Amino acid sequence: MSNLSKPEFMTLDISGNNYLPWVLDVEIHLDSKGLGDTIKEGNEASCQDKAKAMIFLRHHLDEGLKSEYLTLKDPFQLWTSLKEQYDHLKATVLPRARREWMHLRLQDYKTISEYNYAIYRIISQLKLCGEPMNDEDILEKTLSTFHASNMVLQQQYRVKGFKKYSELISCLLVVEQHNTLLMKNHEACPTGSALFPEANLGMIDPKSEKR
């Protein structure tokens, strides 16, 4: 086992507010350590692997939870007990995530980055609750919520036939960066503000005018 002096990710809060992402982190890390089976029902993991998994799980629990489950020594029992205590949170997270997804609109965000952050946050919550979104749904949500003033632009993006949301959002981010640069250049030197260069009379050769 690696050095456990510092948790590898956020510990499970006793309120359970971070239970869903915590579950995903635990599963990924236990699998990477070859201990994924220790939290599965009917597993035949060795006593040594169970002990390693138990140490890892307890290291990523709030101090109050450590005390609450102090007598448990089997990682599957601890895993099941935590699920019974906190799995009901899906009943509150899922409706909220569905509602946020329903009302999500690209036109409501000042920047593409802000929208991108919001959509991935909602998608993650839906996925953790067992309702993953596919690229087709995400693309349609984005393209159908352009501001009305960008209708022509939205149609142009549809014609491009993006298959992945990541491709569309990358394109939108590049366009946004270019537009920002153009606006900065315009503000630094507005149209009509540049002066015409004046001829330096002192540099004119009189002889050249006679020729």
Side-chain angles (χ1 to χ4, degrees):
M1 292 289 287
S2 58
N3 184 8
L4 291 177
S5 60
K6 182 179 180 181
E8 297 183 49
F9 50 88
M10 187 178 295
T11 58
L12 175 59
D13 188 78
I14 197 168
S15 68
N17 289 332
N18 65 329
Y19 173 71
L20 296 178
W22 181 86
V23 166
L24 183 60
D25 282 331
V26 169
E27 290 176 336
I28 292 174
H29 281 76
L30 285 180
D31 283 339
S32 70
K33 300 175 186 297
L35 302 172
D37 289 340
T38 60
I39 57 174
K40 296 179 181 178
E41 186 175 6
N43 70 82
E44 298 181 357
S46 66
C47 292
Q48 185 178 18
D49 282 348
K50 287 183 178 180
K52 290 178 180 179
M54 198 65 184
I55 292 172
F56 181 82
L57 286 171
R58 288 182 57 80
H59 190 63
H60 291 85
L61 293 180
D62 177 90
E63 291 299 324
L65 288 172
K66 287 182 182 180
S67 300
E68 183 176 347
Y69 295 106
L70 184 62
T71 59
L72 293 184
K73 296 183 179 180
D74 185 277
F76 174 70
Q77 291 180 355
L78 175 58
W79 187 255
T80 303
S81 296
L82 291 171
K83 183 175 182 180
E84 292 174 351
Q85 182 170 346
Y86 295 118
D87 206 45
H88 70 278
L89 291 173
K90 290 182 180 179
T92 58
V93 174
L94 183 56
R96 183 173 66 247
R98 286 173 175 169
R99 184 172 61 253
E100 290 182 345
W101 174 261
M102 182 182 301
H103 296 288
L104 180 68
R105 301 189 308 174
L106 174 60
Q107 61 182 288
D108 292 333
Y109 292 84
K110 294 181 179 180
T111 67
I112 298 298
S113 295
E114 290 177 0
Y115 171 79
N116 193 43
Y117 173 81
I119 198 169
Y120 271 121
R121 179 182 57 79
I122 297 172
I123 291 172
S124 296
Q125 291 180 339
L126 290 170
K127 185 177 181 179
L128 289 171
C129 292
E131 291 194 7
M133 304 295 295
N134 57 44
D135 277 297
E136 184 178 353
D137 294 330
I138 304 171
L139 283 168
E140 182 58 31
K141 166 62 72 173
T142 303
L143 292 171
S144 63
T145 58
F146 270 54
H147 193 278
S149 62
N150 292 323
M151 188 175 297
V152 174
L153 185 62
Q154 177 254 121
Q155 293 173 350
Q156 292 175 345
Y157 283 119
R158 283 190 182 278
V159 171
K160 288 181 178 293
F162 292 105
K163 299 298 182 183
K164 295 182 178 181
Y165 169 73
S166 58
E167 296 173 348
L168 171 61
I169 206 67
S170 294
C171 186
L172 291 175
L173 285 168
V174 170
V175 171
E176 182 180 62
Q177 291 173 359
H178 288 169
N179 289 342
T180 300
L181 180 60
L182 287 174
M183 287 301 298
K184 287 182 177 179
N185 289 338
H186 172 74
E187 291 170 358
C189 187
T191 303
S193 62
L195 299 176
F196 290 104
E198 297 182 0
N200 190 336
L201 298 179
M203 296 298 293
I204 297 178
D205 185 358
K207 296 181 179 178
S208 62
E209 293 183 350
K210 295 179 180 181
R211 292 179 182 179

